[in-house]
Amino acid sequence: NYAYPGVLLIGTDSHTPNGGGLGGISIGVGGRDRVDVMAGIPCELKCTKVIAMKLTGSLSGWTSPKDVILKVAGILTVKGGTGAIVEYHGPGVDSISCTGMATICNMGAEIGATTSVFPYNHRMKKYLSKTGRADIASLREEFKDHLVPDPGCQYDQVIEINLNELKPHINGPFTPDLAHPVAEVGTVAEKEGWPLDIRVGLIGSCTNSSYEDMGRSAAVAKQALAHGLKCKSQFTITPGSEQIRATIERDGYAQILRDVGGIVLANACGPCIGQRDRKDIKKGEKNTMVTSYNRNFTGRNDAFPETHAFVTSPEIVTALAIAGTLKFNPETDFLTGKDGKKFKLEAPDADELPRSSFDPGQDTYQQPPKDSSGQRVDVSPTSQRLQLLEPFDKWDGKDLEDLQILIKVKGKCTTDHISAAFPWLKFRGHLDNISNNLLIGAINIENGKANSVRNAVTQEFGPVPDTARYYKKHGIRWVVIGDENYGEGSSREHAALEPRHLGGRAIITKSFARIHETIKKQGLLPLTFADPSDYNKIHPVDKLTIQGLKDFAPGKPLKCIIKHPNGTQETILLNHTFNETQIEWFRAGSALNRMKELQQ
């Protein structure tokens, strides 16, 4: 409803780049960035590289738009798009629906891209007209030459994908860049010891819940029903909006999906961020689920670390849920109908857009009062769900001496590892309570365990949040050591707030995901090793001193002294990306503190 060709838009969700499917530059940011913009403060972004994805050929059969981004993720990995905008172009673009382009741009967040974008074309015009914005489409037609790549333009990197040769893909488990053709994943799963039986199939979410997606899934389900089959796996459908929910109800898709064994959930994030009470498995039980979502990090979709989650297209999820096994390839394999006869599913086909208009569904929006000056918000001091924030303390003007290492993280550390979603979302308005999930999913390099770190004072191992609280209570400032692409995933504000609230002062990593640099606004220092191999010099029992803060300046590295327990020391350099304004945030204690200073 807000995106259109040529718009520059920010949103507080990492999947805001969905708007690139309508030719907009739509960028996911943290909540504080949005507040700044609403207050008239510019949103700053480093100039990006541009990666070109040249698409040739055309999509057909079981291959869908989701397979394009699954293939791209396999090529670039979860960090290959960091610091870049991905621009799709080429003759293959015209074979992709507008909502299909949105799916591709949406999941571009999983390669670390700042955003992704498609050139304006007739598919976008058609979508705008169908959604009541024909006037915008007509205006864009006048300026369409400005909404496509310039002739002879140069890119930092060019990758070509022939859609004629692209096969259905399924990525996972545990990371969205582990790409497999659907035809091969069963063999790989047997070799790796991944569970073959699919316990749950989940379709929908912001990534893959368009009218076309639901139609293609319903086309698969309808074939199974014609042969007397239902899903062998649990099967749920999460519409991405009230408009989609109402429209698929009206046009019969929802009922077909129910008839095959599906449960249509509310139009919300839902299981994609673990908002579900899963009871079909026990804790510690290895199992497999397939989804049409965008992320499959450990524990993300159900809070069970042993769940092997795979991401694929909605129609492949539907086919696999009917078959019940990862070894099923709908392009070649047969199912057995209720009558004992074998049959093969035909490649699904569905309308790109509803033949009549979309059904807007129920309007649940509540207008704010025109005059809010007399409004007051009362929060009970005993509330466990809401808590008024207290300002973070200002920088004391000194270097950070003898920082204790709370945890040295091994491997992937997403915002789900830093601040888990379900069942913690009920505490989103209560910083102290939600901080009890701080880094509980991160793996401690010292013992290879999650949520188990050494207390440097007592020498006992305990949960990460408890140890952080102990340090805070005793005036011990601490630091986190991270690996590569630290903080990938959601633009989750709590992942930035919690470390600061519990006494953290710096996060030092090999590299950061762009979206997690929001920690600057909370007065934390996101620092990177000038030499990534220096990560190996630091041990969890060391103490660190960060020097140079009195002369903190853009482009000027800080010095870090590593103090080992045996009395020896090593000195390394730490880089940063702070500009002058962001340095003022650090000195004030947070961006909010600085805004208050400027008002006085």
Side-chain angles (χ1 to χ4, degrees):
N1 292 335
Y2 298 98
Y4 55 83
V7 71
L8 175 60
L9 181 152
I10 67 165
T12 53
D13 190 287
S14 54
H15 295 108
T16 299
N18 202 83
L22 262 177
I25 300 297
S26 306
I27 301 171
V29 298
R32 283 290 305 121
D33 294 299
R34 177 205 57 189
V35 170
D36 286 353
V37 171
M38 293 173 72
I41 300 171
C43 180
E44 297 188 358
L45 189 71
K46 288 181 67 177
C47 185
T48 66
K49 299 181 294 182
V50 181
I51 299 174
M53 289 290 171
K54 183 179 180 181
L55 304 182
T56 61
S58 61
L59 293 177
S60 62
W62 283 92
T63 306
S64 72
K66 184 64 163 284
D67 297 306
V68 175
I69 187 59
L70 294 176
K71 177 71 173 179
V72 170
I75 295 170
L76 288 178
T77 76
V78 291
K79 60 184 179 180
T82 303
I85 290 176
V86 179
E87 181 183 301
Y88 291 85
H89 69 279
V93 167
D94 286 339
S95 73
I96 304 173
S97 66
C98 181
T99 52
M101 297 181 212
T103 289
I104 294 168
C105 292
N106 177 296
M107 199 172 159
E110 273 48 79
I111 58 172
T114 300
T115 192
S116 302
V117 65
F118 275 84
Y120 177 73
N121 68 1
H122 70 282
R123 300 275 196 164
M124 296 180 190
K125 179 182 178 182
K126 184 178 179 181
Y127 184 83
L128 287 167
S129 298
K130 182 62 74 170
T131 53
R133 293 175 284 176
D135 55 338
I136 294 178
S138 297
L139 184 62
R140 275 2 186 217
E141 282 293 308
E142 293 182 39
F143 298 96
K144 62 183 178 182
D145 291 343
H146 298 285
L147 300 171
V148 296
D150 297 326
C153 60
Q154 299 295 308
Y155 298 98
D156 295 283
Q157 183 180 358
V158 178
I159 297 171
E160 184 169 333
I161 297 176
N162 185 340
L163 301 183
N164 290 335
E165 299 173 357
L166 183 63
K167 290 292 186 180
H169 270 61
I170 182 168
N171 290 19
F174 306 122
T175 183
D177 58 354
L178 186 57
H180 321 274
V182 170
E184 300 173 11
V185 69
T187 302
V188 176
E190 284 184 315
K191 180 181 177 182
E192 298 292 336
W194 303 332
L196 290 172
D197 290 342
I198 297 170
R199 301 294 288 270
V200 186
L202 305 150
I203 66 171
S205 88
C206 66
T207 313
N208 261 135
S209 62
S210 68
Y211 187 80
E212 180 183 34
D213 290 331
M214 296 295 102
R216 284 172 67 89
S217 295
V220 175
K222 199 170 182 179
Q223 293 179 63
L225 288 169
H227 290 272
L229 297 186
K230 290 190 175 185
C231 291
K232 290 184 178 178
S233 310
Q234 290 185 30
F235 185 48
T236 70
I237 302 93
T238 309
S241 68
E242 173 62 11
Q243 178 171 271
I244 288 296
R245 184 207 62 76
T247 306
I248 65 172
E249 287 284 4
R250 180 196 70 192
D251 293 353
Y253 290 165
Q255 190 56 51
I256 292 171
L257 295 171
R258 289 191 188 98
D259 289 345
V260 84
I263 300 172
V264 180
L265 305 175
N267 41 292
C269 291
C272 184
I273 56 168
Q275 285 182 306
R276 58 195 295 252
D277 187 12
R278 191 176 179 195
K279 295 181 177 179
D280 62 299
I281 61 167
K282 297 177 181 178
K283 189 174 182 179
E285 182 181 349
K286 286 175 64 174
N287 70 100
T288 286
M289 71 162 61
V290 292
T291 83
S292 70
Y293 302 159
N294 38 48
R295 294 188 177 133
N296 57 347
F297 305 140
T298 302
R300 175 179 171 89
N301 304 136
D302 62 0
F304 288 102
E306 298 80 13
T307 295
H308 292 56
F310 295 82
V311 290
T312 185
S313 68
E315 51 266 49
I316 292 294
V317 172
T318 306
L320 292 177
I322 292 166
T325 175
L326 274 180
K327 294 196 72 173
F328 181 69
N329 176 13
E331 288 192 300
T332 59
D333 295 345
F334 288 79
L335 295 169
T336 302
K338 190 175 181 179
D339 59 4
K341 296 180 180 179
K342 293 186 178 296
F343 71 98
K344 194 168 77 168
L345 293 169
E346 295 180 3
D349 189 28
D351 291 335
E352 178 179 340
L353 296 165
R355 296 178 185 181
S356 58
S357 60
F358 278 103
D359 184 337
Q362 184 180 0
D363 184 4
T364 57
Y365 178 67
Q366 293 181 330
Q367 288 276 0
K370 291 182 179 179
D371 180 9
S372 60
S373 58
Q375 299 292 316
R376 192 175 126 183
V377 178
D378 290 324
V379 176
S380 168
T382 60
S383 172
Q384 296 300 301
R385 301 287 294 274
L386 295 174
Q387 177 189 43
L388 296 176
L389 295 178
E390 295 293 330
F392 291 135
D393 59 308
K394 289 184 64 172
W395 175 55
D396 62 8
K398 302 175 183 178
D399 287 334
L400 297 173
E401 299 280 348
D402 293 330
L403 297 174
Q404 196 67 56
I405 295 171
L406 176 65
I407 182 173
K408 182 179 178 182
V409 178
K410 178 183 178 182
K412 185 185 286 287
C413 191
T414 72
T415 46
D416 281 272
H417 293 82
I418 301 167
S419 178
F422 184 81
W424 297 93
L425 296 176
K426 61 185 177 183
F427 297 128
R428 291 186 73 177
H430 198 294
L431 179 57
D432 194 58
N433 280 347
I434 201 170
S435 292
N436 287 323
N437 73 2
L438 175 65
L439 287 160
I440 60 176
I443 300 301
N444 180 10
I445 199 169
E446 187 175 6
N447 57 12
K449 296 180 179 179
N451 201 26
S452 175
V453 294
R454 183 195 300 270
N455 184 314
V457 178
T458 67
Q459 292 301 306
E460 297 177 351
F461 281 85
V464 180
D466 292 359
T467 306
R469 289 186 185 279
Y470 180 96
Y471 289 160
K472 181 179 181 180
K473 180 180 179 181
H474 292 83
I476 301 170
R477 297 180 296 184
W478 51 263
V479 63
V480 169
I481 306 300
D483 212 318
E484 293 189 13
N485 209 35
Y486 185 93
E488 68 172 284
S490 302
S491 57
R492 199 164 290 168
E493 202 72 12
H494 299 90
L497 285 163
E498 292 173 28
R500 183 73 162 95
H501 174 63
L502 294 186
R505 286 295 182 267
I507 313 291
I508 304 172
T509 72
K510 293 180 182 178
S511 64
F512 283 94
R514 174 197 64 84
I515 206 160
H516 194 56
E517 290 208 0
T518 52
I519 63 176
K520 291 176 182 176
K521 294 204 166 181
Q522 310 308 336
L524 280 165
L525 291 170
L527 305 171
T528 56
F529 296 106
D531 180 353
S533 65
D534 287 342
Y535 169 89
N536 299 318
K537 294 179 179 179
I538 297 176
H539 305 287
V541 292
D542 295 337
K543 290 185 178 182
L544 305 181
T545 292
I546 298 174
Q547 296 181 337
L549 293 174
K550 293 180 181 179
D551 302 314
F552 198 9
K556 185 178 180 180
L558 298 173
K559 187 184 293 184
C560 176
I561 300 174
I562 307 168
K563 300 179 179 180
H564 301 299
N566 63 6
T568 62
Q569 297 184 1
E570 296 181 76
T571 300
I572 61 174
L573 292 179
L574 301 175
N575 294 331
H576 65 85
T577 58
F578 280 79
N579 58 32
E580 290 287 1
T581 299
Q582 294 166 345
I583 291 172
E584 291 175 357
W585 298 342
F586 168 73
R587 290 171 176 156
S590 71
L592 275 176
N593 288 2
R594 181 57 180 158
M595 288 176 69
K596 190 172 183 179
E597 288 178 352
L598 293 172
Q599 290 176 341
Q600 294 174 347

